[in-house]
PDB file of all heavy atoms in Angstrom:
ATOM      1  N   TYR A 200      38.460-212.932  12.463  1.00  0.00           N
ATOM      2  CA  TYR A 200      38.603-212.837  13.896  1.00  0.00           C
ATOM      3  C   TYR A 200      37.263-212.546  14.547  1.00  0.00           C
ATOM      4  O   TYR A 200      36.332-212.075  13.865  1.00  0.00           O
ATOM      5  CB  TYR A 200      39.633-211.745  14.275  1.00  0.00           C
ATOM      6  CG  TYR A 200      39.322-210.368  13.750  1.00  0.00           C
ATOM      7  CD1 TYR A 200      38.544-209.446  14.459  1.00  0.00           C
ATOM      8  CD2 TYR A 200      39.842-209.973  12.522  1.00  0.00           C
ATOM      9  CE1 TYR A 200      38.282-208.181  13.981  1.00  0.00           C
ATOM     10  CE2 TYR A 200      39.589-208.695  12.015  1.00  0.00           C
ATOM     11  CZ  TYR A 200      38.820-207.822  12.740  1.00  0.00           C
ATOM     12  OH  TYR A 200      38.550-206.557  12.246  1.00  0.00           O
ATOM     13  N   LYS A 201      37.174-212.802  15.825  1.00  0.00           N
ATOM     14  CA  LYS A 201      35.980-212.440  16.580  1.00  0.00           C
ATOM     15  C   LYS A 201      36.405-211.691  17.820  1.00  0.00           C
ATOM     16  O   LYS A 201      37.568-211.766  18.251  1.00  0.00           O
ATOM     17  CB  LYS A 201      35.132-213.664  16.913  1.00  0.00           C
ATOM     18  CG  LYS A 201      35.637-214.516  18.070  1.00  0.00           C
ATOM     19  CD  LYS A 201      34.571-215.522  18.495  1.00  0.00           C
ATOM     20  CE  LYS A 201      34.923-216.221  19.803  1.00  0.00           C
ATOM     21  NZ  LYS A 201      33.796-217.024  20.323  1.00  0.00           N
ATOM     22  N   TYR A 202      35.439-210.941  18.398  1.00  0.00           N
ATOM     23  CA  TYR A 202      35.760-210.083  19.540  1.00  0.00           C
ATOM     24  C   TYR A 202      34.538-210.026  20.442  1.00  0.00           C
ATOM     25  O   TYR A 202      33.397-209.834  19.960  1.00  0.00           O
ATOM     26  CB  TYR A 202      36.132-208.690  19.076  1.00  0.00           C
ATOM     27  CG  TYR A 202      36.426-207.696  20.176  1.00  0.00           C
ATOM     28  CD1 TYR A 202      37.551-207.826  20.968  1.00  0.00           C
ATOM     29  CD2 TYR A 202      35.562-206.629  20.428  1.00  0.00           C
ATOM     30  CE1 TYR A 202      37.837-206.922  21.980  1.00  0.00           C
ATOM     31  CE2 TYR A 202      35.839-205.719  21.452  1.00  0.00           C
ATOM     32  CZ  TYR A 202      36.970-205.876  22.219  1.00  0.00           C
ATOM     33  OH  TYR A 202      37.237-204.974  23.221  1.00  0.00           O
ATOM     34  N   ASN A 203      34.761-210.194  21.727  1.00  0.00           N
ATOM     35  CA  ASN A 203      33.678-210.100  22.706  1.00  0.00           C
ATOM     36  C   ASN A 203      33.559-208.632  23.156  1.00  0.00           C
ATOM     37  O   ASN A 203      34.508-208.064  23.698  1.00  0.00           O
ATOM     38  CB  ASN A 203      33.979-211.010  23.914  1.00  0.00           C
ATOM     39  CG  ASN A 203      32.751-211.182  24.795  1.00  0.00           C
ATOM     40  OD1 ASN A 203      31.953-210.250  24.975  1.00  0.00           O
ATOM     41  ND2 ASN A 203      32.595-212.369  25.355  1.00  0.00           N
ATOM     42  N   LEU A 204      32.406-208.029  22.902  1.00  0.00           N
ATOM     43  CA  LEU A 204      32.225-206.606  23.181  1.00  0.00           C
ATOM     44  C   LEU A 204      32.326-206.256  24.658  1.00  0.00           C
ATOM     45  O   LEU A 204      32.588-205.096  25.018  1.00  0.00           O
ATOM     46  CB  LEU A 204      30.879-206.129  22.620  1.00  0.00           C
ATOM     47  CG  LEU A 204      30.722-206.271  21.110  1.00  0.00           C
ATOM     48  CD1 LEU A 204      29.337-205.820  20.686  1.00  0.00           C
ATOM     49  CD2 LEU A 204      31.784-205.490  20.365  1.00  0.00           C
ATOM     50  N   LYS A 205      32.147-207.237  25.523  1.00  0.00           N
ATOM     51  CA  LYS A 205      32.280-206.945  26.958  1.00  0.00           C
ATOM     52  C   LYS A 205      33.713-206.622  27.331  1.00  0.00           C
ATOM     53  O   LYS A 205      33.968-206.061  28.408  1.00  0.00           O
ATOM     54  CB  LYS A 205      31.735-208.084  27.813  1.00  0.00           C
ATOM     55  CG  LYS A 205      32.649-209.284  27.874  1.00  0.00           C
ATOM     56  CD  LYS A 205      32.068-210.380  28.787  1.00  0.00           C
ATOM     57  CE  LYS A 205      33.043-211.553  28.906  1.00  0.00           C
ATOM     58  NZ  LYS A 205      32.518-212.608  29.809  1.00  0.00           N
ATOM     59  N   ASN A 206      34.671-206.963  26.463  1.00  0.00           N
ATOM     60  CA  ASN A 206      36.084-206.691  26.749  1.00  0.00           C
ATOM     61  C   ASN A 206      36.518-205.295  26.322  1.00  0.00           C
ATOM     62  O   ASN A 206      37.674-204.908  26.524  1.00  0.00           O
ATOM     63  CB  ASN A 206      36.968-207.725  26.034  1.00  0.00           C
ATOM     64  CG  ASN A 206      36.764-209.113  26.575  1.00  0.00           C
ATOM     65  OD1 ASN A 206      36.454-209.309  27.751  1.00  0.00           O
ATOM     66  ND2 ASN A 206      36.922-210.112  25.720  1.00  0.00           N
ATOM     67  N   PHE A 207      35.600-204.533  25.722  1.00  0.00           N
ATOM     68  CA  PHE A 207      35.962-203.201  25.235  1.00  0.00           C
ATOM     69  C   PHE A 207      36.248-202.282  26.416  1.00  0.00           C
ATOM     70  O   PHE A 207      35.468-202.184  27.369  1.00  0.00           O
ATOM     71  CB  PHE A 207      34.836-202.628  24.383  1.00  0.00           C
ATOM     72  CG  PHE A 207      35.120-201.274  23.787  1.00  0.00           C
ATOM     73  CD1 PHE A 207      35.981-201.153  22.701  1.00  0.00           C
ATOM     74  CD2 PHE A 207      34.564-200.128  24.333  1.00  0.00           C
ATOM     75  CE1 PHE A 207      36.261-199.917  22.166  1.00  0.00           C
ATOM     76  CE2 PHE A 207      34.828-198.878  23.783  1.00  0.00           C
ATOM     77  CZ  PHE A 207      35.678-198.758  22.694  1.00  0.00           C
ATOM     78  N   MET A 208      37.371-201.585  26.342  1.00  0.00           N
ATOM     79  CA  MET A 208      37.774-200.659  27.416  1.00  0.00           C
ATOM     80  C   MET A 208      37.073-199.321  27.236  1.00  0.00           C
ATOM     81  O   MET A 208      37.364-198.584  26.273  1.00  0.00           O
ATOM     82  CB  MET A 208      39.281-200.463  27.399  1.00  0.00           C
ATOM     83  CG  MET A 208      39.803-199.439  28.382  1.00  0.00           C
ATOM     84  SD  MET A 208      39.399-199.857  30.095  1.00  0.00           S
ATOM     85  CE  MET A 208      40.029-198.422  30.948  1.00  0.00           C
ATOM     86  N   VAL A 209      36.164-199.006  28.122  1.00  0.00           N
ATOM     87  CA  VAL A 209      35.402-197.756  28.002  1.00  0.00           C
ATOM     88  C   VAL A 209      36.243-196.575  28.517  1.00  0.00           C
ATOM     89  O   VAL A 209      36.850-196.635  29.590  1.00  0.00           O
ATOM     90  CB  VAL A 209      34.100-197.829  28.848  1.00  0.00           C
ATOM     91  CG1 VAL A 209      33.356-196.521  28.798  1.00  0.00           C
ATOM     92  CG2 VAL A 209      33.229-198.952  28.318  1.00  0.00           C
ATOM     93  N   ILE A 210      36.295-195.503  27.715  1.00  0.00           N
ATOM     94  CA  ILE A 210      36.929-194.262  28.108  1.00  0.00           C
ATOM     95  C   ILE A 210      35.821-193.239  28.351  1.00  0.00           C
ATOM     96  O   ILE A 210      34.923-193.131  27.542  1.00  0.00           O
ATOM     97  CB  ILE A 210      37.902-193.766  27.032  1.00  0.00           C
ATOM     98  CG1 ILE A 210      38.997-194.801  26.755  1.00  0.00           C
ATOM     99  CG2 ILE A 210      38.550-192.442  27.421  1.00  0.00           C
ATOM    100  CD1 ILE A 210      39.900-194.478  25.602  1.00  0.00           C
ATOM    101  N   ASN A 211      35.915-192.483  29.433  1.00  0.00           N
ATOM    102  CA  ASN A 211      34.799-191.666  29.795  1.00  0.00           C
ATOM    103  C   ASN A 211      35.269-190.322  30.360  1.00  0.00           C
ATOM    104  O   ASN A 211      36.440-190.146  30.644  1.00  0.00           O
ATOM    105  CB  ASN A 211      33.906-192.371  30.805  1.00  0.00           C
ATOM    106  CG  ASN A 211      32.436-192.114  30.580  1.00  0.00           C
ATOM    107  OD1 ASN A 211      32.051-191.045  30.072  1.00  0.00           O
ATOM    108  ND2 ASN A 211      31.576-193.042  30.977  1.00  0.00           N
ATOM    109  N   SER A 212      34.320-189.415  30.547  1.00  0.00           N
ATOM    110  CA  SER A 212      34.626-188.110  31.090  1.00  0.00           C
ATOM    111  C   SER A 212      34.476-188.150  32.596  1.00  0.00           C
ATOM    112  O   SER A 212      33.511-188.680  33.127  1.00  0.00           O
ATOM    113  CB  SER A 212      33.668-187.063  30.501  1.00  0.00           C
ATOM    114  OG  SER A 212      33.830-185.831  31.127  1.00  0.00           O
ATOM    115  N   VAL A 213      35.462-187.542  33.308  1.00  0.00           N
ATOM    116  CA  VAL A 213      35.365-187.492  34.771  1.00  0.00           C
ATOM    117  C   VAL A 213      35.276-186.045  35.269  1.00  0.00           C
ATOM    118  O   VAL A 213      35.345-185.798  36.463  1.00  0.00           O
ATOM    119  CB  VAL A 213      36.594-188.154  35.413  1.00  0.00           C
ATOM    120  CG1 VAL A 213      36.586-189.654  35.094  1.00  0.00           C
ATOM    121  CG2 VAL A 213      37.896-187.509  34.958  1.00  0.00           C
ATOM    122  N   ALA A 214      35.081-185.076  34.355  1.00  0.00           N
ATOM    123  CA  ALA A 214      34.968-183.689  34.774  1.00  0.00           C
ATOM    124  C   ALA A 214      33.623-183.115  34.307  1.00  0.00           C
ATOM    125  O   ALA A 214      32.661-183.088  35.070  1.00  0.00           O
ATOM    126  CB  ALA A 214      36.146-182.870  34.199  1.00  0.00           C
ATOM    127  N   PHE A 215      33.539-182.652  33.059  1.00  0.00           N
ATOM    128  CA  PHE A 215      32.284-182.112  32.562  1.00  0.00           C
ATOM    129  C   PHE A 215      32.217-182.330  31.062  1.00  0.00           C
ATOM    130  O   PHE A 215      33.220-182.527  30.386  1.00  0.00           O
ATOM    131  CB  PHE A 215      32.172-180.601  32.875  1.00  0.00           C
ATOM    132  CG  PHE A 215      33.261-179.791  32.239  1.00  0.00           C
ATOM    133  CD1 PHE A 215      33.106-179.259  30.973  1.00  0.00           C
ATOM    134  CD2 PHE A 215      34.454-179.557  32.919  1.00  0.00           C
ATOM    135  CE1 PHE A 215      34.108-178.494  30.388  1.00  0.00           C
ATOM    136  CE2 PHE A 215      35.452-178.820  32.338  1.00  0.00           C
ATOM    137  CZ  PHE A 215      35.300-178.277  31.076  1.00  0.00           C
ATOM    138  N   ASP A 216      30.982-182.306  30.538  1.00  0.00           N
ATOM    139  CA  ASP A 216      30.695-182.509  29.104  1.00  0.00           C
ATOM    140  C   ASP A 216      31.156-183.888  28.631  1.00  0.00           C
ATOM    141  O   ASP A 216      31.701-184.688  29.373  1.00  0.00           O
ATOM    142  CB  ASP A 216      31.291-181.412  28.249  1.00  0.00           C
ATOM    143  CG  ASP A 216      30.445-180.152  28.250  1.00  0.00           C
ATOM    144  OD1 ASP A 216      29.311-180.230  28.798  1.00  0.00           O
ATOM    145  OD2 ASP A 216      30.863-179.109  27.744  1.00  0.00           O
ATOM    146  N   HIS A 217      30.926-184.153  27.354  1.00  0.00           N
ATOM    147  CA  HIS A 217      31.204-185.452  26.767  1.00  0.00           C
ATOM    148  C   HIS A 217      32.604-185.450  26.199  1.00  0.00           C
ATOM    149  O   HIS A 217      32.985-184.607  25.409  1.00  0.00           O
ATOM    150  CB  HIS A 217      30.206-185.766  25.666  1.00  0.00           C
ATOM    151  CG  HIS A 217      28.803-185.923  26.180  1.00  0.00           C
ATOM    152  ND1 HIS A 217      28.191-187.156  26.299  1.00  0.00           N
ATOM    153  CD2 HIS A 217      27.900-185.049  26.624  1.00  0.00           C
ATOM    154  CE1 HIS A 217      26.980-187.013  26.776  1.00  0.00           C
ATOM    155  NE2 HIS A 217      26.761-185.703  27.003  1.00  0.00           N
TER     156      HIS A 217
END
Side-chain angles (χ1 to χ4, degrees):
Y200 56 90
K201 77 168 190 171
Y202 178 69
N203 193 324
L204 298 178
K205 74 176 183 180
N206 295 328
F207 183 76
M208 174 60 183
V209 177
I210 301 173
N211 217 332
S212 173
V213 295
F215 60 89
D216 280 352
H217 294 255

